[in-house]
Amino acid sequence: MKLRSFFTFLAVTSVAILLLGIGTFYKLLGESPLAAVTGGVTTTPTAAIFVPKTVPVMVSLLVNPDRIEAFQQVLTPPRDRPRSHAEFNQIKKTLLANTDLNYNRDIQPWLGNETTLALMTTDIDRNLKNGEQLGYLFVLSAADIQLATTTINQFWQKQQSEGVDVVSQPYKGVKLTYRQPPENGSRVLSTAIFNRFVLVANSPKLLREAINNVQASSLSLSQSPAYQQSLKQLSGSRVGLAFVNLGRWGLDWENPGVNLPAQPTLTLSIGLSPQGLLAETALVKVTDEEGKSVQPLLDEPIEAWKYITGKTGLAIAGSDLNHLWEQLSTTISRNSVLENLVNQPIAVIKEIWGLDLPSDLFSWVTGEYALAMIPPVAEQQPQKPDWIFVASRLSPQASTAVQHLDELATEEGYSVGTFELGERTLTAWTTISPLPDTVNNPDINPSVLQAKPKGVHATVGEYEIFTTSVEAMDRALNLVSEESLLDDPEFRIAFDRLPTVNDGYFFLNWSSSVGFIKQQIPLLKLLELSAKPFFDHLRSLTISSAGAVEGVAKATVFIRLK
């Protein structure tokens, strides 16, 4: 019996269940007459009583997976039902791989309406010499706790009959059952029954901590002021909820009595919309502005949108990029993992271009801005995508900053010059090189040089437009004959469902950007594999921020599904 890989499958597929589950269940409430009756799920995860305030990540599905599959089958066209059924079956098989458990026989009869996964710690034994060993806790609500208890007991009895050394011991009135750990090992399958919940962990230490959190409620996430503050702002119906600690993850959970510093946190409430998932987020920051309410900056689309084509794969737009960067830097500074994730591409750009984005670009963009990525067409692969950056020149330092960028390009070895494109004067950063094949082709004059633009920028009214090619600049300046992003049907669906009053947008067209994003973020390949059903159904993702209420920064996320 191989149980060592049980938690790897359990962690991956629990996330997949949440993503696929909420991705299909929305059809029930969005397209079914039951929407007027149910109004969605309004509960919050009860499992929060088991996890500590310092938990790095907690994800909860608040709907029974079998209800999701049943409703999905009803709403799916007959020709697509076998594929839909196969997706759910694959999740169940993966979840229980290499165990004697069978979902239909051992879990389905007693499983309730809440399934929660918590990453309790990034290293169970606090020993970096043997590598980081993630610690997981799964909390499953039981509709029939007696049947659940019987099933778990039978599972362990079968393990013993097959020669597994099983240990059962009481802890504060709760029986813990787990495999005898091998030497120098700490990751072992462990279970406990507490009231109407089945607790499963990869270490008995995590079960003991979970019980401590319940009995000393002040230690649990459910009593965290930041968590309660977030839930107060997330008042809509939901089918799933996620909590992420954006602060330091290496806290000592074995000494919960220590006064811990305040941590920035993000809570995500996932609701239902007729054409996708509509989620609300609440970010509790630890800053001097704590407790303040801030009104959003925008109440209508910014003018910079008109230079962004509708064929954009990724777009970011808003106002005051400098302030946005300052807020982001402050928030992620408490989490080294997130800080490295954000700073890595900035460091790469500085190494390649000699450009320090925060000081050379962000600092002077205090008005409107828009950044867009235009993916190459299929036949052009593997060419790189084009980028367009539009920034308001209304800040006092804008002209000096643009001139400084030209100087930096010169320092990096590029030739800086101007040329005409239609009625516009463009400045280009180019490399100069001989024409190819001058050695093999005597008809080509070796003294003839060619210039390859690496970047182009132009002043257009109140804006400075930067592009990575002349073709991209031509498209940005001539969108009269081509639809802008605001006219794109995919973006418009999301745009109409997000708050009109906001601080800006982040838009990702998944189908046209997935190839490029995988190249830039290798970790995404693993994530896509672990949650393949969700990514197979994903069309686009749009995020809109909307100021702050009592110190809680709010945003809305729309996930468009196929």
Side-chain angles (χ1 to χ4, degrees), residues 203-226:
S203 170
K205 295 168 64 176
L206 299 174
L207 295 181
R208 287 191 284 268
E209 184 203 1
I211 296 169
N212 291 339
N213 291 328
V214 175
Q215 297 186 350
S217 59
S218 60
L219 303 177
S220 72
L221 177 63
S222 64
Q223 299 301 313
S224 164

Side-chain angles (χ1 to χ4, degrees), residues 1-6 97-99 159 179:
M1 171 58 58
K2 294 183 180 180
L3 292 173
R4 185 169 59 183
S5 60
F6 175 77
N98 297 323
T99 75
Q159 294 292 296
R179 297 182 64 187

Side-chain angles (χ1 to χ4, degrees), residues 12 15 19 57 119 134 136 249 337-338 340-342 344 510 514-532 535:
V12 167
V15 175
L19 295 176
V57 180
L119 173 61
L134 301 180
Y136 297 105
W249 285 357
V337 175
L338 295 177
N340 290 337
L341 184 64
V342 173
Q344 183 178 7
W510 176 253
V514 59
F516 167 76
I517 295 176
K518 284 182 182 180
Q519 292 177 358
Q520 304 302 312
I521 310 177
L523 182 62
L524 185 64
K525 295 180 181 179
L526 176 61
L527 178 60
E528 186 185 23
L529 179 63
S530 64
K532 189 176 184 299
F535 286 103

Side-chain angles (χ1 to χ4, degrees), residues 306-307 418-427 456-463 465 470 473-474 476-480:
K306 65 184 180 182
Y307 300 108
T418 61
F419 67 96
E420 301 298 320
L421 181 64
E423 299 179 355
R424 302 285 183 184
T425 300
L426 276 58
T427 300
V456 182
H457 69 90
T459 301
V460 182
E462 298 178 351
Y463 300 96
I465 302 178
V470 177
M473 177 65 75
D474 186 51
L477 297 177
N478 295 281
L479 282 184
V480 176

Side-chain angles (χ1 to χ4, degrees), residues 25 31 40 42 74 89-90 134 157 165 170 186 206 232 237 244 296 328 343 350 398 407 425 437 468 533 560:
F25 187 68
E31 301 175 8
T42 57
V74 171
N89 279 342
Q90 184 59 43
L134 301 180
Q157 290 171 4
D165 189 1
S186 59
L206 299 174
K232 181 181 177 181
S237 62
V244 182
L328 178 63
N343 288 334
K350 185 173 183 179
E407 294 171 352
T425 300
D437 296 329
T468 51
R560 178 96 157 101

Side-chain angles (χ1 to χ4, degrees), residues 248-286:
R248 186 161 54 94
W249 285 357
L251 299 174
D252 187 1
W253 52 268
E254 292 181 333
N255 295 295
V258 177
N259 291 325
L260 300 174
Q263 302 283 320
T265 64
L266 177 69
T267 305
L268 177 70
S269 176
I270 305 171
L272 308 170
S273 172
Q275 291 178 297
L277 305 176
L278 192 62
E280 296 180 356
T281 69
L283 173 64
V284 178
K285 299 178 289 185
V286 184

Side-chain angles (χ1 to χ4, degrees), residues 388-405:
I388 299 175
F389 179 64
V390 184
S392 170
R393 291 180 57 96
L394 296 182
S395 65
Q397 64 270 41
S399 296
T400 303
V402 173
Q403 182 179 352
H404 177 61
L405 292 175

